Amino acid sequence: MKRDWFHKLWFADTDTRIYAAFRVVFAVVSLINLVHLSPYRYAFFADTGMVDLEAAHTPTHFGFPHFSLFNVFTSELHVDISFGVSAIALVLLTFGI
């Protein structure tokens, strides 16, 4: 009896439309954000931008080391490829592929 709530929480049948709607909304909002960010992609993410990447990527900049793909891929071509792959992934996520 006491474990019945646990079983219902994890193993009961649920309506998957709620999760699909959340997935679609998340993908659309993320794609809108990516589109709005794309005109500034070189300024924020490429080594030709307004931010000194060496200063921004030092491990002590925020007090702890961090990893980003833009630490490794810093050219404008790499930024374009990253944005393109992200856009394709978000469109596929929207359609549940």
Side-chain angles (χ1 to χ4, degrees):
M1 245 354 218
K2 289 185 178 185
R3 294 186 185 183
D4 194 33
W5 66 270
F6 182 80
H7 189 273
K8 285 182 182 178
L9 178 68
W10 292 105
F11 302 111
D13 291 333
T14 59
D15 187 12
T16 58
R17 292 178 294 179
I18 296 170
Y19 301 109
F22 180 79
R23 183 198 73 234
V24 169
V25 170
F26 175 78
V28 168
V29 169
S30 297
L31 188 60
I32 290 170
N33 185 33
L34 188 72
V35 167
H36 282 280
L37 192 60
S38 66
Y40 311 106
R41 65 189 179 275
Y42 300 142
F44 292 141
F45 301 113
D47 54 1
T48 59
M50 66 180 183
V51 179
D52 180 23
L53 294 181
E54 185 176 335
H57 296 158
T58 56
T60 57
H61 182 67
F62 292 111
F64 55 90
H66 60 280
F67 175 75
S68 172
L69 288 177
F70 298 111
N71 290 353
V72 180
F73 304 112
T74 59
S75 72
E76 291 181 358
L77 176 66
H78 290 133
V79 172
D80 286 339
I81 290 170
S82 299
F83 269 67
V85 168
S86 298
I88 291 169
L90 288 171
V91 169
L92 292 176
L93 181 65
T94 302
F95 294 112
I97 299 173

